[in-house]
């Protein structure tokens, strides 16, 4: 049989393919899967630049995000062609994205009106305080019965409110009915389905449930929430299920990826929901933890939203079809996980790469009593304390960079343990093992530490791209595409690696107790309203209670008199 024959028969064997756009906080990927075996055939990844224009601000360029998607598609199509895989076999495309990141663009020009404000961003802290102060009893959970969320800098509504209050272009576009708001999924789907020439302005229930404008019971935008934040409903995308045809791809035919033109975009899930689907957590009580820029633990709670008494979020896990019920999850969010590795590398320069972190930490095998609370963006679950800041404590003369590296890995594990404890308390049924995925799971030491600190096994699938897989599953299973079966008996068996706990429970508890002590020390560090002297700089006295200042001044006067008398 000659080469071309072999290649063409191989093509037939593959059957329908499904692609996924995975647009994360630090990178974009385009991945192509075999819909029958869930095997990853090819992919391409492009890093995304983050900018930090002021302390606590985190932004990304919406056009760079879009460009990165095109580049990943282009490169992946080239790789598939080299592998002799027919691109026209791609039957659907799913989108999964960093959640809560907020964009506003002009529907007439198609241009973004400001950079994307990333989920981690803290500029809205004073907006949040103002909102909490106008609630009865200053209660950050005032909207939780509708949204499942506390009022926090994390969610999109406060970011959108900030844009409308502070960016002239945004305010004008809203007033002249040209503005469109969306999270990253909405921006991408709108652009990829034609943009200003007929692009589809939509989002799915999972992304909508992270805005604070969405009612998780009615599964639609809530007019009262929109009034509360002062946001006109006309700028919001239409809410759809996570698995249905939203529109068709429009890509210029001169590019290799032009072959994707006309393919339906038929799956959309926020990245954490996508990982839950990709890990096949379809049963009530199943849970997964994703280790990315942040850390996100989701537990499927079935078709009824469960409200947390322990600082967790109630979120829509997925709704896999227009006529299918919505399934909910309890979620614990940790702001800084993989980002701590980046920080050790870029800000402190103590490692050159993430692989180096594992070597450095493994070389000591202990933090030697050093604890690291990476509260760079305040603390998320279960505390919701925006005033917290990062601290490293328990240092001695003996502490070196290897101990700090070890403490950084432990911090990721301790933060996960706090969330797992809260989840076990909320559901009353302790988790017996944790399914994990995401970039950091390639760090074996981290996985072992995680099992030790949780005192339960940690299970990692051999194919770690579960977020993209979840989006591909939703797209391939959509009505009108139907090339992917979500029946449990049809889902291919996933091979996995298991890390069992290796230390005794007393040791684990001791370290966890010390960690909680460190967390208390990181709290109430930052207050948002420093008093300013005339030139806009904070006065040194603004941070001292006035009484001490006056008393101190009097003592100084008395002291000066006393000294003058003794000359």
């Amino acid at each position: 049989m000659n080469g071309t024959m072999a290649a063409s028969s191989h093509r037939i064997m593959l059957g329908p393919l499904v692609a996924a756009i995975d647009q994360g906080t630090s990178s974009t990927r385009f991945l192509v899967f075999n819909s029958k075996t869930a095997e990853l055939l090819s992919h391409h990844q492009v890093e995304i630049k983050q900018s930090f224009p002021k302390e606590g601000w985190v932004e990304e360029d919406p056009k760079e995000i879009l460009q990165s998607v095109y580049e990943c598609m282009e490169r992946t199509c080239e790789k598939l062609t080299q592998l002799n895989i027919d691109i026209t076999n791609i039957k659907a495309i799913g989108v999964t994205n960093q959640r809560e990141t907020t964009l506003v663009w002009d529907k007439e020009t198609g241009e973004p009106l400001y950079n994307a404000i990333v989920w981690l961003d803290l500029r809205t802290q004073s907006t949040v305080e103002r909102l909490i102060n106008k609630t009865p009893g200053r209660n950050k959970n005032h909207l939780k019965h509708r949204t499942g969320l506390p009022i926090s800098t994390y969610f999109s509504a406060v970011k959108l409110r900030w844009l409308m209050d502070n960016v002239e272009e945004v305010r004008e576009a809203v007033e002249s009915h040209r503005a469109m708001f969306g999270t990253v999924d909405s921006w991408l789907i709108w652009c990829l389905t034609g943009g200003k020439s007929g692009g589809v302005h939509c989002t799915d229930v999972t992304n909508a449930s992270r805005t604070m404008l969405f009612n998780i019971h009615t599964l639609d935008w809530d007019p009262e929430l929109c009034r509360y934040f002062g946001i006109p409903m006309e700028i919001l995308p239409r809410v759809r299920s996570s698995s249905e045809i939203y529109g068709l791809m429009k890509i210029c035919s001169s590019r290799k990826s032009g072959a994707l033109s006309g393919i339906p975009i038929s799956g959309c899930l926020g990245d954490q929901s996508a990982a839950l689907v990709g890990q096949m957590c379809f049963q009530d009580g199943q849970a997964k933890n994703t280790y990315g820029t942040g850390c996100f633990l989701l537990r499927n709670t079935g078709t009824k939203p469960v409200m947390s008494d322990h600082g967790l979020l109630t979120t829509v896990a997925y709704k896999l079809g227009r006529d299918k019920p919505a399934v909910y999850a309890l979620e614990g969010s940790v702001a800084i996980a993989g980002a701590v590795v980046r920080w050790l590398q870029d800000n402190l320069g103590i490692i050159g790469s993430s692989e180096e972190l594992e070597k450095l930490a493994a070389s000591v095998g202990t933090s030697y009593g050093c604890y690291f609370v990476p509260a760079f963006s305040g603390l998320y679950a279960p505390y919701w304390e925006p005033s917290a800041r990062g601290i490293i404590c328990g240092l001695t003369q003996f502490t070196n960079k290897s101990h700090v590296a070890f403490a950084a890995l432990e911090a990721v594990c301790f933060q996960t343990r706090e969330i797992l404890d809260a989840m076990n308390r909320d559901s009353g049924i302790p988790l017996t093992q944790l399914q994990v995925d995401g970039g950091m799971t390639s760090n074996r030491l981290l996985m072992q530490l995680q099992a030790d600190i949780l005192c339960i096994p940690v299970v990692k699938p051999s194919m770690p791209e579960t977020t993209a897989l979840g989006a591909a599953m939703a797209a391939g299973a959509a009505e009108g595409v139907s090339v992917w079966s979500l029946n449990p008996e049809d889902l291919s068996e996933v091979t996995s690696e298991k890390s069992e706990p290796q230390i005794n429970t007393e040791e684990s508890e001791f370290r966890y107790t010390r960690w909680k002590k460190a967390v208390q020390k990181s709290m109430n560090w930052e207050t948002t309203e420093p008093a300013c002297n005339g030139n806009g700089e904070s006065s040194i006295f603004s941070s001292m209670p006035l009484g001490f200042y006056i008393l101190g001044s009097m003592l100084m006067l008395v002291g000066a008199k006393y000294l003058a008398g003794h000359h």
Side-chain angles (χ1 to χ4, degrees), residues 204-359:
D204 89 301
V205 288
T206 69
N207 280 296
S209 78
R210 313 294 292 190
T211 57
M212 287 202 103
L213 301 170
F214 180 81
N215 185 316
I216 59 174
H217 308 284
T218 64
L219 298 178
D220 213 341
W221 302 120
D222 190 303
E224 276 189 48
L225 289 169
C226 291
R227 272 198 296 278
Y228 181 83
F229 288 101
I231 287 164
M233 293 184 79
E234 59 167 44
I235 72 173
L236 305 177
R238 192 173 144 220
V239 183
R240 315 270 289 264
S241 78
S242 315
S243 175
E244 61 178 85
I245 295 174
Y246 312 112
L248 305 180
M249 287 283 280
K250 292 191 173 60
I251 294 188
C252 66
S253 51
S254 59
R255 312 172 68 130
K256 173 95 27 170
S257 52
L260 302 174
S261 266
I263 295 175
I265 298 179
S266 54
C268 178
L269 290 153
D271 52 10
Q272 303 313 322
S273 285
L276 194 75
V277 171
Q279 284 265 31
M280 327 275 179
C281 295
F282 295 127
Q283 244 75 62
D284 184 347
Q286 289 183 308
K288 68 89 206 167
N289 195 24
T290 300
Y291 300 76
T293 300
C295 223
F296 302 89
L297 182 52
L298 271 73
R299 181 169 185 150
N300 183 326
T301 61
T303 51
K304 288 197 176 60
V306 173
M307 290 295 162
S308 169
D309 299 324
H310 300 98
L312 302 178
L313 310 176
T314 304
T315 197
V316 180
Y318 52 82
K319 183 180 190 302
L320 295 175
R322 240 176 270 204
D323 314 321
K324 298 281 199 308
V327 171
Y328 296 87
L330 274 175
E331 170 173 337
S333 325
V334 167
I336 304 290
V340 76
V341 183
R342 235 186 181 176
W343 183 81
L344 290 171
Q345 185 177 323
D346 300 348
N347 297 31
L348 293 196
I350 67 173
I351 51 168
S353 67
S354 47
E355 293 75 40
E356 217 174 300
L357 177 68
E358 186 174 0
K359 282 200 202 76

Side-chain angles (χ1 to χ4, degrees), residues 124-144 147 149-155 158 161 212 228-229 379 383-387 528-529:
T124 54
Q125 198 168 330
S126 52
T127 313
V128 166
E129 284 173 14
R130 196 170 68 240
L131 288 166
I132 291 173
N133 285 339
K134 70 173 195 184
T135 68
R138 294 190 169 182
N139 176 12
K140 64 182 162 201
N141 290 321
H142 179 59
L143 307 173
K144 199 169 174 178
T147 62
L149 314 170
I151 302 171
S152 157
T153 56
Y154 184 17
F155 307 108
V158 286
R161 185 64 259 163
M212 287 202 103
Y228 181 83
F229 288 101
L379 286 167
Y383 301 102
W384 299 105
E385 193 44 78
S387 69
T528 53
E529 303 296 329

Side-chain angles (χ1 to χ4, degrees), residues 410 413-414 417 448-455 508 511:
E410 264 191 330
C413 302
F414 286 131
R417 164 82 192 260
Q448 186 53 54
L449 272 175
Q450 188 65 86
D452 289 346
I453 287 165
L454 296 180
C455 308
S508 183
R511 277 152 64 177

Side-chain angles (χ1 to χ4, degrees), residues 291-537:
Y291 300 76
T293 300
C295 223
F296 302 89
L297 182 52
L298 271 73
R299 181 169 185 150
N300 183 326
T301 61
T303 51
K304 288 197 176 60
V306 173
M307 290 295 162
S308 169
D309 299 324
H310 300 98
L312 302 178
L313 310 176
T314 304
T315 197
V316 180
Y318 52 82
K319 183 180 190 302
L320 295 175
R322 240 176 270 204
D323 314 321
K324 298 281 199 308
V327 171
Y328 296 87
L330 274 175
E331 170 173 337
S333 325
V334 167
I336 304 290
V340 76
V341 183
R342 235 186 181 176
W343 183 81
L344 290 171
Q345 185 177 323
D346 300 348
N347 297 31
L348 293 196
I350 67 173
I351 51 168
S353 67
S354 47
E355 293 75 40
E356 217 174 300
L357 177 68
E358 186 174 0
K359 282 200 202 76
L360 203 57
S363 70
V364 285
T366 168
S367 71
Y368 203 77
C370 164
Y371 287 81
F372 187 167
V373 183
F376 301 156
S377 295
L379 286 167
Y380 284 13
Y383 301 102
W384 299 105
E385 193 44 78
S387 69
R389 285 295 174 274
I391 64 163
I392 301 177
C393 56
L395 302 176
T396 66
Q397 275 180 305
F398 182 73
T399 313
N400 63 31
K401 65 180 184 179
S402 305
H403 299 119
V404 174
F406 194 94
L409 291 181
E410 264 191 330
V412 176
C413 302
F414 286 131
Q415 291 182 101
T416 301
R417 164 82 192 260
E418 292 201 272
I419 287 168
L420 197 72
D421 283 0
M423 256 180 208
N424 288 342
R425 287 201 294 273
D426 274 331
S427 65
I429 309 157
L431 207 60
T432 51
Q433 65 168 28
L434 182 64
Q435 289 172 237
V436 300
D437 56 69
M440 287 186 89
T441 56
S442 60
N443 184 322
R444 284 224 157 93
L445 175 62
L446 179 72
M447 294 297 95
Q448 186 53 54
L449 272 175
Q450 188 65 86
D452 289 346
I453 287 165
L454 296 180
C455 308
I456 58 172
V458 168
V459 182
K460 169 195 163 186
S462 310
M463 203 282 297
E465 301 291 353
T466 43
T467 303
L469 178 62
M473 287 164 70
E479 191 184 334
V481 178
S482 305
V483 297
W484 203 304
S485 163
L486 297 182
N487 291 335
E489 58 273 18
D490 297 336
L491 293 169
S492 47
E493 257 316 290
V494 185
T495 54
S496 56
E497 297 168 34
K498 203 181 221 187
S499 307
E500 299 275 358
Q502 286 175 359
I503 64 173
N504 64 36
T505 325
E506 291 74 43
E507 164 71 6
S508 183
E509 290 306 317
F510 172 75
R511 277 152 64 177
Y512 183 48
T513 309
R514 294 286 287 272
W515 156 263
K516 292 188 91 131
K517 195 168 156 187
V519 170
Q520 290 308 319
K521 299 203 184 305
S522 75
M523 303 261 202
N524 306 317
W525 199 261
E526 197 54 65
T527 50
T528 53
E529 303 296 329
C532 291
N533 57 27
N535 57 14
E537 290 166 16

